[in-house]
Amino acid sequence: MKYTNSIEIALPREQVARLLADPAHIPKWLRGIVLHEPVDGMHGRLGTTSRVVMEAGRQKIELTETVTRREPEDLHDIPREVVVHFDRETAGAGMWSVVRDRLTETGPETTLWESESEYRFSGLLMRLVGLVMPGSFHKQSQQHMQDFKAFAEQGKDVREGRD
């Protein structure tokens, strides 16, 4: 299953990139995150592997995330023509995914965030979930992007229950 989401954020691209890359901010915009800790490497750096625990309803899901691309490495003084890339692979019980994020400057104070997602499922239950509920993955990804936008632009924190 593959899909693409996008959202425009009313902030300069460099500021958006640094907010997305800062692990201290993840719980403020990523609903359901319980834990995101590097087990090999430094958070967000190329090649880093992290243990990720998410909560979905009453169920906890443990995943392993590997950063497969981060360009540029330094998120300061990024030339206007450069597109920022954050790519990561995630694997868990019965599931593998890759997310390719791109941040493009669309104006001096606006950034376009485009995110391509691909999921593959193994095992009967996960394959069934992928077949029956493909739209829920797309919708959840868009919700994460909207939550990040609200956090970045207005300081809204998903943990405070505000929409």
Side-chain angles (χ1 to χ4, degrees), residues 6-67:
S6 64
I7 197 164
E8 193 163 86
I9 300 168
L11 289 171
R13 182 199 48 191
E14 194 169 298
Q15 186 176 352
V16 171
R18 286 191 302 229
L19 286 171
L20 273 172
D22 188 338
H25 296 307
I26 294 172
K28 297 176 185 175
W29 61 270
L30 188 58
R31 291 174 194 258
I33 190 80
V34 175
L35 178 73
H36 192 290
E37 65 178 0
V39 292
D40 183 26
M42 287 181 52
H43 180 86
R45 299 293 181 182
L46 184 63
T48 296
T49 301
S50 298
R51 178 175 169 240
V52 179
V53 179
M54 300 287 294
E55 217 168 47
R58 289 177 271 176
Q59 183 180 13
K60 284 193 179 173
I61 303 161
E62 186 163 335
L63 308 162
T64 300
E65 175 190 84
T66 303
V67 177

Side-chain angles (χ1 to χ4, degrees), residues 80-139:
R80 187 183 196 295
E81 67 279 359
V82 170
V83 175
V84 176
H85 294 269
F86 293 114
D87 296 2
R88 63 203 172 279
E89 289 184 13
T90 306
M95 182 211 95
W96 171 91
S97 72
V98 63
V99 177
R100 296 176 187 93
D101 291 328
R102 292 182 310 275
L103 302 176
T104 307
E105 186 174 306
T106 54
E109 297 293 321
T110 55
T111 301
L112 177 63
W113 177 11
E114 298 172 291
S115 184
E116 296 175 7
S117 300
E118 178 181 349
Y119 284 84
R120 295 182 193 158
F121 303 104
S122 60
L124 182 61
L125 180 61
M126 287 306 293
R127 284 184 181 169
L128 186 60
V129 168
L131 285 171
V132 174
M133 301 179 6
S136 66
F137 288 84
H138 188 247
K139 184 178 176 182

